[in-house]
Amino acid sequence: MKTIDELLAEGVKGKRVFVRADLNVPLAEGTITDDGRIRAVQPTIAKLAEAGARVIVASHLGRPKGAPEPAFSLAPAAARLGELLGTDVAFATDTVGSSAKETVAALTDGKVAVIENLRFNAGETSKDDAERGAFADQLAELADVYVGDGFGAVHRKHASVFDLPERLPHAAGQLIATEVGVLKKLTDEVKRPYVVVLGGAKVSDKLAVIDELLGKADRLLIGGGMAYTFLYAKGYEVGISLLQKDQVEKVKEYMARAESTGVELVLPVDILASTEFPDLKGKTPADYTIVDADKIPADKEGLDIGPKTRELYASKIADAATVFWNGPLGVFEHPDYAGGTRAIAQALVDSDAFTVVGGGDSAAAVRTLGFDENAFGHISTGGGASLEYLEGKTLPGLAALEG
């Protein structure tokens, strides 16, 4: 996989360099609420611009259905990128149409432009190779060189991720190189004890990674909505908590495997439970009780791990040499149910381990809760991509850059 430093050594001055970034940032009424992904790709873009490249930045945002949707415009991301770079960033209002062509043609050496949301074109995500390839052909006309730096999308076989680098000389950006290096420390070069903390809503989203980690991790700490399927599998009452009954047998199998292989699989011992899901927008005070994990009332829903579990999990992290965390431990968006997620983040900060926060909601939670990003070994920009790498899958975007 060619690196951006190798590309820069060859010279990019005057060349049109297409950077597939991940600017898929959360928006609230058009305002960016977490710019972490933009800040993560900014160093690659800055390097190229400083070397005299004419930089064309492209990304998806959200899940539009192959046609323009104003709510998913990349305009706010382009504006924020300009602020971070300290320079004007041009913005094209389409992907491969007249605005994109004119905007790219107007670029001069060292200048940057962002084109509109790639998913406004159906060819970007098409399952049909020909349709996807046709869109990649149009994108290729805009550029001379391709740089892949959208780690959050490398697990997608999309036109800008998989097909476009086949059509242009290509290299991996600084962010992708960093992400892959970190993931190797979680797979090929692991220092032990190796502790994995898994949260999030659905256990079905994590089955494949649990399957893989049962042969690699020393401890698995389970929280979030997915924990209630594990607790149910142990025969506990979980009330109206999130539960995937169709996954119970698989979860039982995993618990048995963990026991037989000596992997410590740790479940919550107490829970914050309420009769209703909290109002996240108004953030009105929560009405909850703390109950033992095997005594959740039939009319209540578990919404966070309790104080005993927080202490237990912190103790399981304290002596770790490597920690990977993916998924919040509760409904962290509400301050009264953020305690479990905050406790995990603090345990990582307090540990002497190499700590990796696995993207998505976990990364957003760390920033929302006010932690210094530099206190962690690495905060990934790609939750789904990180998990699929750990599952041992071939990621299309990485395979394309290696070709």
Side-chain angles (χ1 to χ4, degrees), residues 208-238:
V209 76
I210 293 171
D211 186 46
E212 188 71 18
L213 289 169
L214 281 174
K216 294 181 177 176
D218 297 299
R219 294 178 199 136
L220 287 176
L221 314 183
I222 305 295
M226 63 182 287
Y228 303 102
T229 300
F230 279 86
L231 294 173
Y232 186 87
K234 286 177 68 71
Y236 297 169
E237 168 66 61
V238 297

Side-chain angles (χ1 to χ4, degrees), residues 11 24 32 34 44 48 50 97 103 105 113 167 182 185 220 240 246 290 318 332 334 347 351 368 380 394-395:
N24 186 27
I32 296 169
D34 180 1
T44 289
L48 290 165
E50 288 165 7
T103 301
R167 289 156 168 78
V182 166
K185 292 183 180 181
L220 287 176
I240 56 173
D246 60 331
I290 299 172
F332 77 91
H334 192 289
S351 129
T368 298
S380 178
T394 297
L395 306 188

Side-chain angles (χ1 to χ4, degrees), residues 19-331:
V19 178
R20 196 345 175 152
D22 180 8
L23 308 180
N24 186 27
V25 292
L27 296 170
E29 298 178 356
T31 300
I32 296 169
T33 57
D34 180 1
D35 68 353
R37 284 176 168 162
I38 303 175
R39 287 186 287 110
V41 76
Q42 184 261 344
T44 289
I45 295 168
K47 270 189 173 184
L48 290 165
E50 288 165 7
R54 303 177 182 192
V55 187
I56 304 140
V57 182
S59 176
H60 70 287
L61 192 153
R63 297 189 177 184
K65 306 300 182 184
E69 294 184 41
F72 296 117
S73 174
L74 279 173
R80 179 58 181 146
L81 177 61
E83 292 172 357
L84 292 169
L85 291 171
T87 187
D88 290 336
V89 169
F91 181 66
T93 56
D94 56 27
T95 55
V96 291
S98 58
S99 179
K101 291 174 182 175
E102 290 167 7
T103 301
V104 171
L107 282 176
T108 55
D109 294 359
K111 294 299 182 181
V112 180
V114 174
I115 63 174
E116 188 54 284
N117 192 335
L118 292 163
R119 292 187 184 175
F120 285 1
N121 189 303
E124 169 67 2
T125 59
S126 177
K127 296 285 194 279
D128 181 83
D129 291 349
E131 183 180 12
R132 217 177 49 246
F135 183 49
D137 287 338
Q138 291 178 291
L139 291 172
E141 291 176 5
L142 298 174
D144 305 304
V145 180
Y146 176 93
V147 171
D149 215 28
F151 181 74
V154 292
H155 58 315
R156 306 295 188 191
K157 193 176 181 180
H158 290 171
S160 66
V161 175
F162 179 75
D163 303 271
L164 185 54
E166 292 183 341
R167 289 156 168 78
L168 294 170
H170 51 266
Q174 189 169 308
L175 173 61
I176 278 187
T178 298
E179 294 273 13
V180 171
V182 166
L183 288 169
K184 285 183 177 177
K185 292 183 180 181
L186 300 177
T187 51
D188 304 330
E189 307 157 9
V190 182
K191 293 183 179 179
R192 298 184 181 281
Y194 179 19
V195 177
V196 176
V197 185
L198 293 177
K202 294 182 178 180
V203 69
S204 55
D205 294 340
K206 303 291 196 313
L207 285 176
V209 76
I210 293 171
D211 186 46
E212 188 71 18
L213 289 169
L214 281 174
K216 294 181 177 176
D218 297 299
R219 294 178 199 136
L220 287 176
L221 314 183
I222 305 295
M226 63 182 287
Y228 303 102
T229 300
F230 279 86
L231 294 173
Y232 186 87
K234 286 177 68 71
Y236 297 169
E237 168 66 61
V238 297
I240 56 173
S241 304
L242 186 61
L243 172 63
Q244 290 185 281
K245 284 190 176 181
D246 60 331
Q247 304 297 338
V248 169
E249 291 307 312
K250 179 61 71 175
V251 165
K252 286 181 178 179
E253 176 193 324
Y254 286 166
M255 290 193 294
R257 271 179 56 197
E259 186 173 359
S260 66
T261 57
V263 175
E264 193 177 356
L265 196 156
V266 190
L267 299 177
V269 295
D270 62 345
I271 296 292
L272 269 60
S274 176
T275 54
E276 60 183 3
F277 196 83
D279 173 11
L280 298 181
K281 191 170 184 180
K283 291 190 172 58
T284 52
D287 179 18
Y288 64 84
T289 54
I290 299 172
V291 298
D292 290 343
D294 60 349
K295 295 183 176 64
I296 300 174
D299 65 340
K300 292 188 185 294
E301 176 179 12
L303 296 168
D304 195 10
I305 57 172
K308 291 178 183 176
T309 305
R310 296 170 198 175
E311 290 183 13
L312 173 65
Y313 283 12
S315 73
K316 298 294 182 182
I317 291 168
D319 68 342
T322 304
V323 183
F324 173 70
W325 169 32
N326 181 279
L329 279 291
V331 186

